Amino acid sequence: MGRPRGFDEAEVVRAAVVLFANRAYDGVSVDELVSHLGVHRNSLYKTFGSKRGLYLAALRWCLNEEVPTLIAEIERAEDATAAFQRLTTSMAWAGMDLLLLAAVERAPVDREVALEVKRALNSLDEAVQRRRGSGQAAEIMRSPLGFTATLLGLRLRVRAAVLTAESGAPTLRHGPHPS
Amino acid sequence: MGRPRGFDEAEVVRAAVVLFANRAYDGVSVDELVSHLGVHRNSLYKTFGSKRGLYLAALRWCLNEEVPTLIAEIERAEDATAAFQRLTTSMAWAGMDLLLLAAVERAPVDREVALEVKRALNSLDEAVQRRRGSGQAAEIMRSPLGFTATLLGLRLRVRAAVLTAESGAPTLRHGPHPS
DNA sequence: GAGATTTAGGAACGATTGTTCTTGGCTGGT
DNA sequence: ACCAGCCAAGAACAATCGTTCCTAAATCTC
């Protein structure tokens, strides 16, 4: 039995979600992680193996804990407009921002991240599928802003799927090629 | 009159668009830029001032040259579905990917990038506004995939607008706070 | 042919990066 | 009280980073 930890792993992971949701992966240094998470760098490497290991833990936590919350919001919203409103304005959705960042900047170059992002997006798609009324496009989707958002969102998904694309995979093909 | 240049500035900028469209800003090193663009590091700094200066030049070029092409595609598409299909699958749209990456990872932390992204998104919105029929949502927008894409796209815009948001600004508020 | 000026082609610089190592502290068991 | 084992608290390491500096080459003008 050794010295007791001065940190809680789950709490460290949750704090990491917030940091990684706010800035790009390379924009968050290990020094910063150590400062903000209350875990020493040695312990960070012992617990998560690497900076990338912590990132994956944070991403998985948010996909396991916050995506279901997102899904619950979608399922309970009276219509799509209300769902969009609530899901795109809340400060609490660090998980969604992490998903967004992971999809755009990490998934095209990290297959493990790509698989997690794919899993999360598929879960969201299935929740929307289950919910009646989503076939009825929200008012915002008929607006120019909604059109542009959809366009960017579709392109984001194409890029995020580059490393995990396979025959019969849904939606559109092409995107940046891995180097 | 001195030694003649061995590079063409416009060509360097175009090549930079491709590099920055494929990987995150910090994922592209100056060494890589020098290798791929055919311009020496000294000349890069003389011409663009910094790595960020080159990035802004690339972003502006793509917003000036490729966004109008995008707009032309939107205007000429027979319907929204065709527009989505063409605009999210083409390998040629490095400009769109650069806009996507700039919106997600640079705009929240760089006001000049945020202003360029805002300008481009507003131009796209206006093109869609001018085009009749966009009020009629594309089939894909009624699908779960389209819903999720729209959700991510809306969130992306909120985050991108953080540094440029003002009273009366359109759409949703909130996003990551600048540090 | 010499001089001025600009660019090519690196090397060098100071800072930062992610990761590993070293030393001391803290706990429970004996 | 001592020992084993784990964590805290840095320091150290090697590599990479963006930017500046230095030397040589290439051109035009005189």
Side-chain angles (χ1 to χ4, degrees):
Chain A
M1 175 46 122
R3 178 168 170 165
R5 284 178 166 180
F7 66 93
D8 173 47
E9 187 175 330
E11 203 171 300
V12 164
V13 168
R14 272 197 297 276
V17 167
V18 176
L19 281 185
F20 284 127
N22 269 286
R23 267 180 291 115
Y25 179 78
D26 286 317
V28 180
S29 67
V30 173
D31 270 356
E32 223 161 340
L33 289 166
V34 161
S35 299
H36 282 84
L37 306 193
V39 57
H40 192 266
R41 82 179 63 248
N42 195 10
S43 305
L44 190 154
Y45 283 90
K46 278 290 181 54
T47 309
F48 302 102
S50 64
K51 178 185 174 185
R52 177 178 173 269
L54 172 60
Y55 184 83
L56 280 171
L59 183 59
R60 285 187 179 120
W61 180 89
C62 115
L63 303 194
N64 287 330
E65 304 299 324
E66 296 211 13
V67 166
T69 309
L70 229 78
I71 286 169
E73 281 282 338
I74 290 171
E75 287 174 343
R76 108 162 129 261
E78 49 279 21
D79 57 23
T81 298
F84 281 139
Q85 186 66 33
R86 288 193 11 189
L87 296 175
T88 56
T89 57
S90 174
M91 292 292 293
W93 300 125
M96 171 166 239
D97 287 350
L98 180 49
L99 175 58
L100 180 61
L101 278 165
V104 169
E105 51 138 0
R106 295 310 297 163
V109 296
D110 187 324
R111 195 178 148 82
E112 253 183 287
V113 170
L115 288 168
E116 297 295 336
V117 166
K118 181 179 181 180
R119 183 162 72 85
L121 293 179
N122 286 349
S123 296
L124 283 168
D125 290 345
E126 283 162 14
V128 173
Q129 188 75 45
R130 284 196 297 272
R131 187 184 188 284
R132 206 69 133 275
S134 65
Q136 187 174 19
E139 190 181 337
I140 200 167
M141 290 172 103
R142 283 193 285 275
S143 69
L145 185 148
F147 183 98
T148 308
T150 308
L151 185 60
L152 288 167
L154 290 173
R155 185 62 194 163
L156 174 160
R157 295 193 68 155
V158 169
R159 289 184 85 258
V162 147
L163 296 181
T164 60
E166 65 217 11
S167 295
T171 186
L172 316 158
R173 208 84 65 220
H174 298 313
H177 284 305
S179 296
Chain B
M1 175 48 121
R3 180 169 169 165
R5 282 180 169 181
F7 68 92
D8 172 48
E9 188 174 331
E11 202 171 300
V12 164
V13 169
R14 270 197 296 277
V17 167
V18 176
L19 281 184
F20 283 128
N22 268 286
R23 267 180 291 114
Y25 179 78
D26 288 316
V28 179
S29 66
V30 173
D31 270 354
E32 223 162 339
L33 288 167
V34 161
S35 300
H36 283 83
L37 308 192
V39 58
H40 192 267
R41 82 179 64 248
N42 196 8
S43 304
L44 190 153
Y45 283 91
K46 276 296 179 53
T47 310
F48 301 102
S50 65
K51 180 186 175 186
R52 176 177 174 269
L54 172 61
Y55 184 84
L56 280 170
L59 183 59
R60 285 186 178 119
W61 180 88
C62 114
L63 302 194
N64 287 331
E65 304 299 325
E66 296 211 12
V67 167
T69 309
L70 228 77
I71 286 169
E73 281 280 340
I74 289 171
E75 286 174 345
R76 104 163 132 261
E78 49 279 22
D79 57 24
T81 299
F84 282 139
Q85 187 68 32
R86 282 165 58 157
L87 296 174
T88 55
T89 55
S90 175
M91 292 293 292
W93 299 125
M96 170 165 241
D97 287 350
L98 180 48
L99 176 57
L100 181 60
L101 277 166
V104 168
E105 53 138 357
R106 296 308 299 164
V109 296
D110 188 324
R111 196 178 147 84
E112 252 183 285
V113 170
L115 288 168
E116 297 297 336
V117 165
K118 181 179 179 178
R119 181 164 73 85
L121 294 179
N122 285 351
S123 295
L124 284 169
D125 289 346
E126 284 161 17
V128 173
Q129 188 77 46
R130 284 197 297 274
R131 189 186 186 282
R132 204 67 134 276
S134 65
Q136 188 172 19
E139 192 181 336
I140 200 168
M141 289 173 102
R142 284 193 284 272
S143 70
L145 186 147
F147 183 97
T148 307
T150 308
L151 184 61
L152 289 166
L154 289 173
R155 186 60 194 164
L156 175 160
R157 296 195 66 157
V158 169
R159 289 183 84 259
V162 148
L163 296 181
T164 59
E166 64 216 12
S167 296
T171 187
L172 315 159
R173 207 84 65 213
H174 298 314
H177 284 304
S179 296

